[in-house]
Amino acid sequence: MSCSLSPGSRSDALQHGTSGTLPHFLQEPDDAYIVKSNPIKLKCRARPALQIFFKCNGEWVHQSQHQSQEHTDESTGLKIREVMINVSRQQVEDFHGPEDYWCLCVAWSHLGTSKSRKATVRIAYLRKNFEQDPQGREVPIKGMIVLHCRPPEGVPVAEVEWLKNEEPVSSDGNIDTRADHNLIIQEARLSDSGNYTCLASNIVAKRRSLTATVVIFVNGGWSLWTDWSVCNVPCGRGVQKRSRTCTNPAPLNGGAFCEGMSVQKSTCNALCPVDGGWAEWTEWTVCSGECERQRSRECTAPEPKRGGRLCDGAALGTYNCTGGLCTHSLEGSSDVALYSGLAAGVVTVVVLIVAVTLYRRNQSEYGVDVIDSSALTGGFQSFSFKTARQGNPLLISSSLQPDLTVSRTYTSPICFQDSMDKELISQEPSLFDPLPDLKVKVHSSFMVSLGVSERGAEYHAQKAHPQTFPRGLAPDYSGVRVEGTLRGRREKSLLAPHAPSTPSRPPLRTSGVLGHAGGRLVVPNTGVSLLVPHGGIAEDTTWEMYMVINQEDSSSTLSEESQEVLLSPEVTYGPPGLDLSCPVAMTIAHCAEVATDNWSIRLKRQTQDNKWEEVMSVEEESTSCYCLLEAQCCHLLLESPGRYALVGEPLSQEAVKRLRLAVFGSADNTNPLGYSLRVYCVDNTPYAFQEVASVERVKGGRLLEEPKTLLFRGNSFSLQLSIQDIPQFLWSIKPFTTCQEFSFSQVWASNQRPLQCAFSLERYSPASSQLSCKISVRQVKGQEQILQVYTSVVEVRGGVLCLSGGGCLCSNCTTMSLTGSRAFKIPLSIRQRICATFDTTNAKGKDWQLLAQKLHIDRNLCYFARQESPSAVILSLWEAQHQDTGDLDSLASALEEIGKPICHFTESHCKTSGDILEQ
């Protein structure tokens, strides 16, 4: 079809003033889709335009198919023409060109023509079948979910929407529905379980995919093991067990049940008590002036052990002489003796009445009620035990068999002897050394009981008690009035802990040359060791490494602002500049009772300017080091050499330090009939007790009773020691020393230094070769322990510290170092295979995190995550934990629970896990 302007049209254009303007399209045709059989309309509108015609697929559309309208723009006076045509489905289907069906508009004015854009016309459709339906998934909690969806082919392209349980799913920080029609959930939650459907739609129709069911499951996890049950037999070989449950977490939605054993059994050996038995009687003595002969026997066949009963019966036998063997004095002499005795008795009663009267007059001031004559001798009689029966002075108590292994708690004060009495009376200068220049007034219950008008005794000391108390507490001096200024809370105690008198002590040190194979440094009997893992030192490189325990004053370790106490020895490892590729494992024993949350325990490190800085708190997570706190010791993973120590700040009065109590005995070199008992109270760490052992080794002392543990509370109350049940007819004790006392601050801030007190005894006769007594060690309003002494005073075993039962402490121990495979429990080949297996993330989650969980090393995992080989560091920590026990079965059990029995890491056939690890 052709189109041209007639002369009449040109004249109309001139009349309408359109000269100089080309047509401008106000509306161009839009792309359109034919839905089913419904035709579509294409529109064009231009200004100024004399004529507008459509051209489709390169051909003019007939004029009869155009629908046109014309009107004048009131603002400009120009004509606006609008044209519309219909396009049917048949027209589009009949067109077979290289392109889609298209149309455009051509508008004329007197100056020429203008063309619009091309508009395509397509037949809309949406096929029924999806190219890819989403598939159901079972995903562990916190796993990633990806559901794929490819919608059916369609024109126009279908839009995709996701439904969960028929409700639309919207994108958020965890769910993404925009990624190429797929649904992505970054971290699965239990609430993400459900039925998911992919919905595709366009202008023609909507299509639904098959439903995909997503299940979020939780694998079961073991709870912590319960404590071991008591041995099922009271004596001999038995069995004990512990259990755990699959509730941490419990399996959910088909998750796997916990693998491994829910109950563990172990053999146990309960030591049987040994009851005491009498030895043979001695020969009868000659008839005495009292017409009496005596003989004695001792409870040594055998000696009572481990709570066994003491011998029943009398240790001393007597009978009257007969047959004219007894010699009597004159009757007059007897009368004189009788009257003299009566007079002495009357005087004694009068003195007692005066003393008690004076005491009761002042009892409200001193807070103690003396109800017997023990105040006159400086001691007290414990109300917990009966006195020995007459005629049996060797027995602790013939009528009562106390359980000496049981700790008891008292709330009422028993001993009120103070340090002043000890200083005035005791001749042991090493027990309590008062320092000059601080004026202290001490109220002495001893002087009050004697009726002395001077109620206080003054003496001077240079420095004050260490003022180290739990937060919010103040010391209880129980009647001690301090005059003057306390200068410095960390200075030496007024009653200084007794320690070896040497001016300086050489540090305990061990060293060794270590290389690529690694090794272990150990200071024996101190609870301190250092493990250098295999591969920590570069190949073809060696370091002479050392470890030192500081034995100097440790007060600088503690913060001046907080109430810190030293809980472990200060340990240094080096040399400085040590270059290792992985952390070392250091083990340090401590004396804190960590079963309750009454401590804030921190690891400190000494800086280059000899100041101490906090490295970490054991309750917090850190990426710089790792701390595994156990009941008796702490295992540290460290990366920088230096001096380290554990300090603690008590958070309440319930904070507890563990003290070790031990009693040693030796003959008095200055008195052939004398015998000295020395009681030590020391922080319950192996290192602290080694100091005691070193001192006693020099003195030739013998350990007379197994050391016991006393839980010392941070309640500001003192520690009292008293000797009881001394055989009255065989032994005497130096006056006013039966009860002695350590202040709270001395014990609480002892800083790994031993406290000592001494009891000096004397035999009446060289024939008395046995000593039996009890020593009570108790904290006021706290716990008490009884140390039972039963020993021969004539037996000498010089230079060795021995138990009365025959066991001896190490007297010639040397430091040691182990290198290479001898230093490790796990063979190198097995260790390397375990690391290779667990360092690689597994789809089922059986990676190093699960290994840590099974080995109960599952806190502060961020520290392991930053290591090059997390599994290797975990195994190093396990090695440090089990260096003494050698418990390889626990590692084997953990691997079996994961589903990787130890034979998986060896080339041997599986026998038992322990056998393979031992190879």
Side-chain angles (χ1 to χ4, degrees):
M1 165 185 161
S2 61
C3 184
S4 61
L5 289 176
S6 63
S9 300
R10 291 175 181 168
S11 63
D12 291 340
L14 294 173
Q15 292 176 4
H16 287 283
T18 58
S19 60
T21 302
L22 286 173
H24 172 68
F25 284 97
L26 302 178
Q27 179 180 357
E28 296 182 276
D30 294 323
D31 295 337
Y33 297 94
I34 297 177
V35 179
K36 297 183 179 180
S37 299
N38 300 321
I40 55 97
K41 298 182 183 294
L42 298 179
K43 295 182 181 180
C44 276
R45 186 170 53 169
R47 181 187 60 191
L50 300 178
Q51 293 290 344
I52 299 177
F53 289 98
F54 272 92
K55 193 174 187 178
C56 295
N57 301 319
E59 297 181 357
W60 294 103
V61 178
H62 195 274
Q63 186 175 3
S64 61
Q65 297 179 7
H66 290 73
Q67 301 175 19
S68 60
Q69 295 180 353
E70 183 181 80
H71 63 275
T72 303
D73 189 346
E74 295 180 356
S75 60
T76 61
L78 300 178
K79 283 187 176 182
I80 299 176
R81 182 174 292 273
E82 183 177 331
V83 176
M84 180 178 62
I85 65 171
N86 292 330
V87 179
S88 67
R89 182 186 182 99
Q90 188 65 41
Q91 289 176 284
V92 176
E93 289 179 346
D94 291 342
F95 175 70
H96 300 288
E99 300 178 300
D100 291 331
Y101 190 98
W102 59 269
C103 294
L104 58 80
C105 295
V106 180
W108 277 267
S109 70
H110 75 284
L111 291 180
T113 62
S114 296
K115 292 183 179 181
S116 70
R117 64 175 293 276
K118 283 184 178 181
T120 60
V121 180
R122 304 176 67 185
I123 298 175
Y125 68 94
L126 183 62
R127 301 195 184 278
K128 293 184 178 180
N129 298 326
F130 279 74
E131 296 184 6
Q132 183 178 3
D133 286 296
Q135 302 296 317
R137 298 284 305 277
E138 292 184 358
V139 182
I141 192 167
K142 296 186 179 180
M144 177 180 284
I145 303 173
V146 179
L147 297 180
H148 298 280
C149 176
R150 293 177 60 189
E153 180 185 350
V155 174
V157 176
E159 296 182 355
V160 171
E161 180 183 10
W162 283 93
L163 303 178
K164 174 193 172 186
N165 300 330
E166 301 305 321
E167 296 292 335
V169 177
S170 57
S171 297
D172 57 23
N174 191 46
I175 300 177
D176 184 8
T177 59
R178 300 167 297 177
D180 195 23
H181 307 311
N182 298 326
L183 173 66
I184 300 176
I185 300 178
Q186 299 291 341
E187 190 172 300
R189 301 158 294 193
L190 288 176
S191 59
D192 292 325
S193 296
N195 296 320
Y196 289 82
T197 304
C198 181
L199 183 65
S201 62
N202 63 7
I203 60 175
V204 178
K206 291 182 178 181
R207 302 284 187 258
R208 292 171 60 95
S209 70
L210 298 177
T211 299
T213 300
V214 174
V215 177
I216 309 301
F217 64 88
V218 177
N219 290 323
W222 287 114
S223 65
L224 296 178
W225 287 103
T226 61
D227 294 334
W228 285 103
S229 64
V230 296
C231 203
N232 64 345
V233 295
C235 174
R237 186 179 180 86
V239 176
Q240 58 183 167
K241 62 181 180 180
R242 63 177 182 173
S243 61
R244 57 182 177 173
T245 57
C246 189
T247 57
N248 187 34
L252 187 65
N253 294 337
F257 194 78
C258 301
E259 300 177 6
M261 301 175 294
S262 62
V263 177
Q264 277 188 346
K265 294 184 179 180
S266 175
T267 58
C268 55
N269 288 291
L271 296 178
C272 300
V274 178
D275 296 336
W278 289 114
E280 294 294 329
W281 287 99
T282 61
E283 296 294 331
W284 287 103
T285 62
V286 297
C287 192
S288 66
E290 288 77 20
C291 301
E292 188 178 70
R293 301 183 69 178
Q294 295 183 351
R295 65 174 181 176
S296 63
R297 57 179 177 175
E298 297 177 351
C299 189
T300 57
E303 294 182 0
K305 298 178 183 177
R306 295 185 288 276
R309 292 181 300 174
L310 298 175
C311 300
D312 291 330
L316 185 66
T318 63
Y319 79 94
N320 291 330
C321 301
T322 60
L325 299 179
C326 179
T327 302
H328 295 277
S329 60
L330 295 177
E331 182 177 355
S333 299
S334 299
D335 293 338
V336 172
L338 175 60
Y339 292 132
S340 300
L342 289 175
V346 171
V347 172
T348 302
V349 171
V350 172
V351 172
L352 285 175
I353 293 174
V354 172
V356 171
T357 302
L358 290 175
Y359 167 73
R360 288 184 174 177
R361 184 179 303 169
N362 295 278
Q363 64 179 357
S364 60
E365 178 181 355
Y366 302 111
V368 59
D369 186 10
V370 179
I371 61 174
D372 57 23
S373 61
S374 60
L376 298 178
T377 61
F380 66 90
Q381 181 62 44
S382 170
F383 60 82
S384 300
F385 302 97
K386 299 179 182 179
T387 55
R389 254 187 266 173
Q390 290 284 342
N392 190 8
L394 291 180
L395 283 181
I396 296 173
S397 174
S398 302
S399 60
L400 178 64
Q401 303 296 334
D403 184 358
L404 301 180
T405 65
V406 177
S407 300
R408 286 152 295 165
T409 301
Y410 300 95
T411 57
S412 61
I414 297 177
C415 176
F416 284 85
Q417 281 294 70
D418 50 19
S419 57
M420 185 60 204
D421 297 327
K422 290 189 286 285
E423 181 62 28
L424 292 176
I425 305 302
S426 175
Q427 300 302 317
E428 290 285 343
S430 62
L431 180 56
F432 296 108
D433 292 330
L435 305 175
D437 294 340
L438 177 63
K439 189 175 183 182
V440 178
K441 180 168 287 186
V442 183
H443 299 287
S444 172
S445 59
F446 161 66
M447 293 182 177
V448 171
S449 64
L450 291 181
V452 180
S453 59
E454 178 70 24
R455 294 183 179 176
E458 295 184 358
Y459 63 105
H460 293 76
Q462 181 176 359
K463 295 183 179 180
H465 291 273
Q467 298 299 298
T468 304
F469 304 101
R471 182 182 300 157
L473 299 179
D476 179 10
Y477 289 103
S478 301
V480 177
R481 180 161 57 91
V482 180
E483 299 176 358
T485 304
L486 299 179
R487 298 180 299 169
R489 50 186 290 277
R490 298 293 178 190
E491 298 184 4
K492 291 184 179 179
S493 167
L494 178 65
L495 300 178
H498 180 69
S501 58
T502 53
S504 63
R505 296 173 298 169
L508 293 174
R509 178 187 177 96
T510 183
S511 63
V513 177
L514 304 182
H516 185 70
R520 189 192 303 267
L521 301 179
V522 180
V523 183
N525 299 321
T526 62
V528 176
S529 65
L530 184 75
L531 180 75
V532 181
H534 178 276
I537 300 176
E539 293 188 29
D540 302 325
T541 302
T542 59
W543 287 90
E544 183 177 359
M545 298 186 62
Y546 61 83
M547 187 166 52
V548 179
I549 300 178
N550 176 40
Q551 298 198 87
E552 300 173 355
D553 181 27
S554 303
S555 59
S556 61
T557 315
L558 307 175
S559 170
E560 292 292 338
E561 290 76 19
S562 62
Q563 306 296 333
E564 290 180 346
V565 293
L566 191 65
L567 299 178
S568 76
E570 296 176 6
V571 181
T572 305
Y573 86 91
L578 180 66
D579 184 18
L580 300 178
S581 62
C582 57
V584 299
M586 178 187 288
T587 298
I588 307 178
H590 66 81
C591 62
E593 184 70 15
V594 295
T596 56
D597 299 329
N598 295 315
W599 284 100
S600 174
I601 300 178
R602 294 179 283 272
L603 176 67
K604 285 193 170 185
R605 181 175 184 269
Q606 192 176 42
T607 60
Q608 293 182 351
D609 55 357
N610 292 328
K611 295 182 179 179
W612 286 86
E613 63 179 3
E614 180 177 330
V615 179
M616 70 173 295
S617 172
V618 298
E619 295 87 3
E620 300 173 355
E621 295 192 354
S622 171
T623 57
S624 61
C625 63
Y626 188 94
C627 179
L628 180 62
L629 188 66
E630 294 184 333
Q632 304 288 336
C633 62
C634 183
H635 306 286
L636 304 170
L637 294 176
L638 304 172
E639 300 178 10
S640 302
R643 178 177 290 184
Y644 294 86
L646 284 177
V647 300
E649 181 179 359
L651 302 179
S652 71
Q653 295 188 37
E654 301 304 317
V656 171
K657 275 180 62 175
R658 287 179 285 105
L659 301 181
R660 180 176 290 189
L661 311 176
V663 55
F664 290 80
S666 64
D668 189 344
N669 296 329
T670 63
N671 183 358
L673 298 180
Y675 195 79
S676 176
L677 294 178
R678 293 176 295 279
V679 182
Y680 291 88
C681 303
V682 64
D683 291 347
N684 190 18
T685 62
Y687 158 73
F689 193 72
Q690 276 297 102
E691 290 200 50
V692 175
S694 300
V695 173
E696 286 297 323
R697 188 173 294 115
V698 175
K699 295 183 177 181
R702 296 178 56 217
L703 184 61
L704 304 181
E705 164 74 311
E706 290 286 350
K708 294 186 177 181
T709 300
L710 183 138
L711 302 182
F712 189 81
R713 295 176 54 199
N715 59 9
S716 76
F717 287 99
S718 60
L719 187 70
Q720 298 175 346
L721 302 91
S722 63
I723 187 167
Q724 305 169 9
D725 293 350
I726 302 173
Q728 302 175 18
F729 303 108
L730 302 178
W731 290 86
S732 65
I733 185 170
K734 186 177 293 186
F736 314 113
T737 62
T738 58
C739 181
Q740 303 181 33
E741 182 172 354
F742 293 119
S743 69
F744 171 81
S745 56
Q746 284 179 276
V747 182
W748 193 253
S750 58
N751 294 342
Q752 304 287 304
R753 297 298 173 86
L755 301 171
Q756 174 201 327
C757 74
F759 300 98
S760 297
L761 296 91
E762 184 176 353
R763 292 177 286 172
Y764 288 124
S765 170
S768 301
S769 61
Q770 297 292 324
L771 171 62
S772 67
C773 62
K774 292 182 297 188
I775 297 177
S776 167
V777 183
R778 62 178 291 272
Q779 183 185 18
V780 178
K781 295 188 179 180
Q783 193 183 54
E784 180 188 34
Q785 285 284 15
I786 299 295
L787 298 174
Q788 176 68 54
V789 175
Y790 196 95
T791 184
S792 172
V793 298
V794 296
E795 180 182 0
V796 178
R797 300 179 65 177
V800 182
L801 306 177
C802 293
L803 301 176
S804 57
C808 297
L809 299 177
C810 176
S811 60
N812 58 350
C813 297
T814 59
T815 58
M816 64 179 182
S817 63
L818 299 173
T819 59
S821 60
R822 296 185 301 122
F824 304 98
K825 306 294 182 183
I826 308 173
L828 177 60
S829 59
I830 295 179
R831 177 188 176 94
Q832 291 174 337
R833 292 189 179 106
I834 291 175
C835 294
T837 299
F838 289 100
D839 282 343
T840 303
T841 302
N842 190 306
K844 296 183 179 180
K846 295 180 179 179
D847 56 5
W848 63 266
Q849 297 184 33
L850 184 57
L851 176 64
Q853 177 185 347
K854 295 300 182 182
L855 294 177
H856 308 296
I857 312 175
D858 53 352
R859 62 176 299 272
N860 196 10
L861 295 182
C862 57
Y863 176 82
F864 300 106
R866 61 180 287 271
Q867 303 297 327
E868 181 179 352
S869 174
S871 301
V873 180
I874 292 170
L875 293 179
S876 296
L877 188 57
W878 183 91
E879 290 265 10
Q881 277 186 285
H882 298 84
Q883 59 181 310
D884 296 325
T885 62
D887 182 15
L888 297 171
D889 287 339
S890 64
L891 176 61
S893 298
L895 294 174
E896 289 175 0
E897 291 176 15
I898 297 173
K900 298 287 186 181
I902 198 64
C903 56
H904 176 81
F905 304 101
T906 67
E907 298 179 359
S908 308
H909 295 292
C910 281
K911 298 177 183 178
T912 66
S913 303
D915 292 339
I916 295 174
L917 282 171
E918 294 286 357
Q919 292 177 355

